[in-house]
Amino acid sequence: MDSLGASAFVLTFLLGGTILIGLFVIVVLFRARSLGISRWFLAALLFFLILHLDTFLLFTTEIIKQYPNLLGLSYPTLFLLGPSYFLFVKSFNTKRFTFNRVDMLHTLPFIIAFIEQFIYLMQPTAAKVNTINYYYKNIPDGNVTFIEWLSANLFIILFFIYVVVSLKLIKLKFNGNKSVLNRISWTLIVLCVFYMIFQTGFLITGVSAITTEIVLASLMAITILLLSYSVVDIKDVFSKNKTKYETSPLNKSEQILINEKLTHAVAVEKMYLKTNLKIKDLSVAIDVPSHHISQVLSEHMNISFYDFINSYRIEEAKQLFKKGTASKLSIQAIGEECGFGNKTSFYRAFKKFTNETPNSYFSKITKEL
């Protein structure tokens, strides 16, 4: 068995195992009703990725030679990858989500690809067999036009655009605090970038088509495995947020009242300035049980207790920077003034809420003043 054959053999097991894991995660998503409608979009994304992996498997195992009519059957679904992820993020943690006319426009590339592929599928079986045989024997000469390159990368380019837009939506919708969504987004961005790099390199250098399939299939399989891990993480996060307070006796008016007390104690009385402030301290101050405070923060503000407190601390620090306090006090001292117990926690929180370090932020403010 030559090295290429050995690689294809190993890849077959990798793809088969990945497909089984992906299908298992999809079943988990179907059963996770606490995820709401967003689980269907995420399941669709995984399913379309698995379909693409199936296509790679058909070629690496040469099964496609026995069933030529399967050639390109799943290709149009690649144009649903981007819309699926975007709609997943859009519906994430949303109690009521409905399609509108603008959302339907996301299916337009899929419809165009479907019509094009349908016309191709109407060709005689013999024509498809010739295409498959050409695929296995063909070694590109490296002379690739822009149209050929665009045709090979169009779906992944659209997917990349959708993921980038989704990443911005996460920042706006969740104030950048959904680390699981950020992790998934960056995983997909890395997939898109490397997919385009490899695809472009193979087209230009003239690598054989089967070698291209092996590398791209491996990349896709690793992505599905990483995505599956994140999906399980999302399920756990949603389960905690959605089912934890189902039996809570708090009604809406009581939650609004607690929200007002909470905001007054933190924003007006500035309890966030107290170092090592705990939820129990806040509970005593406003005479509300700790678990009720957690519920209000989770359901009304979609934020944890420490992120809620640290958001005020960071705003306080930013005001001190603007007043030029950093020229009189050290960065660590400013963090302590704002309620942080140590330099590390201050730097970590500041970076999380501003995407900058305290030093870089102060330098920028100093130039503006």
Side-chain angles (χ1 to χ4, degrees):
M1 181 183 294
D2 57 18
S3 59
L4 189 59
S7 298
F9 181 76
V10 172
L11 182 63
T12 299
F13 285 95
L14 172 63
L15 297 186
T18 302
I19 289 170
L20 290 176
I21 291 173
L23 291 174
F24 171 76
V25 174
I26 289 176
V27 172
V28 171
L29 283 171
F30 284 164
R31 295 174 60 86
R33 295 183 180 180
S34 58
L35 301 181
I37 194 173
S38 65
R39 76 186 191 275
W40 299 108
F41 296 123
L42 190 56
L45 173 66
L46 261 176
F47 180 70
F48 297 144
L49 287 172
I50 289 172
L51 278 182
H52 193 40
L53 212 57
D54 284 332
T55 301
F56 285 129
L57 191 59
L58 288 173
F59 278 94
T60 55
T61 58
E62 299 190 9
I63 293 178
I64 191 67
K65 291 182 178 180
Q66 301 176 33
Y67 303 97
N69 288 319
L70 295 177
L71 181 63
L73 201 59
S74 64
Y75 175 73
T77 61
L78 292 175
F79 292 91
L80 291 174
L81 292 174
S84 296
Y85 187 64
F86 175 75
L87 292 174
F88 160 67
V89 172
K90 188 176 179 180
S91 62
F92 187 87
N93 219 16
T94 301
K95 293 182 178 180
R96 293 182 180 180
F97 176 81
T98 54
F99 285 102
N100 54 46
R101 293 180 181 179
V102 176
D103 290 328
M104 298 305 296
L105 291 176
H106 296 304
T107 63
L108 188 58
F110 162 76
I111 294 173
I112 295 174
F114 177 81
I115 294 172
E116 180 183 346
Q117 195 64 26
F118 180 78
I119 295 173
Y120 174 77
L121 291 174
M122 291 298 100
Q123 294 184 2
T125 302
K128 298 170 189 174
V129 171
N130 290 334
T131 300
I132 293 170
N133 292 333
Y134 175 78
Y135 170 87
Y136 280 100
K137 296 177 182 178
N138 179 45
I139 298 181
D141 57 11
N143 296 321
V144 181
T145 65
F146 174 75
I147 298 299
E148 290 173 332
W149 175 88
L150 184 62
S151 177
N153 289 281
L154 183 58
F155 84 89
I156 206 70
I157 292 173
L158 292 176
F159 190 23
F160 175 79
I161 294 172
Y162 268 105
V163 177
V164 171
V165 172
S166 298
L167 196 58
K168 293 183 178 179
L169 179 60
I170 293 168
K171 187 174 181 180
L172 291 173
K173 189 175 179 181
F174 303 106
N175 197 26
N177 291 330
K178 282 295 179 184
S179 58
V180 178
L181 291 186
N182 286 326
R183 184 169 71 243
I184 292 178
S185 298
W186 282 108
T187 298
L188 295 176
I189 285 175
V190 170
L191 162 67
C192 293
V193 171
F194 276 93
Y195 197 102
M196 283 187 282
I197 290 174
F198 286 137
Q199 184 78 277
T200 302
F202 293 148
L203 289 172
I204 294 175
T205 57
V207 175
S208 66
I210 191 62
T211 301
T212 303
E213 293 289 312
I214 290 174
V215 174
L216 294 182
S218 300
L219 178 63
M220 187 68 73
I222 293 171
T223 302
I224 291 176
L225 291 175
L226 291 174
L227 188 59
S228 297
Y229 172 79
S230 297
V231 166
V232 175
D233 195 4
I234 280 182
K235 177 184 176 296
D236 292 339
V237 170
F238 259 91
S239 296
K240 291 175 184 176
N241 286 344
K242 293 294 185 181
T243 62
K244 186 175 181 179
Y245 307 112
E246 282 183 352
T247 58
S248 173
L250 287 180
N251 55 43
K252 283 190 175 182
S253 60
E254 289 172 327
Q255 291 184 34
I256 292 173
L257 180 60
I258 293 174
N259 188 24
E260 292 174 352
K261 286 184 177 182
L262 185 62
T263 304
H264 184 272
V266 176
V268 180
E269 298 180 9
K270 296 191 174 183
M271 286 193 67
Y272 61 85
L273 294 179
K274 179 181 178 180
T275 304
N276 296 323
L277 177 70
K278 292 180 172 57
I279 196 168
K280 289 182 179 179
D281 302 324
L282 200 54
S283 172
V284 173
I286 65 175
D287 193 25
V288 172
S290 299
H291 60 280
H292 287 174
I293 294 176
S294 296
Q295 179 179 348
V296 170
L297 288 173
S298 177
E299 295 186 343
H300 280 261
M301 305 182 191
N302 194 35
I303 195 171
S304 68
F305 170 74
Y306 286 107
D307 279 346
F308 175 65
I309 298 300
N310 285 341
S311 66
Y312 281 95
R313 289 172 174 170
I314 295 304
E315 286 302 315
E316 181 77 15
K318 288 164 69 175
Q319 293 304 315
L320 291 178
F321 282 134
K322 291 177 181 178
K323 293 177 181 178
T325 308
S327 60
K328 302 174 184 178
L329 298 175
S330 66
I331 298 295
Q332 181 175 351
I334 287 180
E336 292 172 354
E337 285 284 322
C338 298
F340 288 99
N342 55 68
K343 182 178 179 180
T344 302
S345 60
F346 177 45
Y347 268 71
R348 186 185 299 116
F350 200 96
K351 179 74 173 178
K352 180 176 184 178
F353 286 95
T354 67
N355 289 322
E356 295 181 86
T357 64
N359 290 320
S360 63
Y361 183 82
F362 178 65
S363 298
K364 184 178 72 175
I365 292 297
T366 302
K367 292 178 181 179
E368 293 176 355
L369 293 176

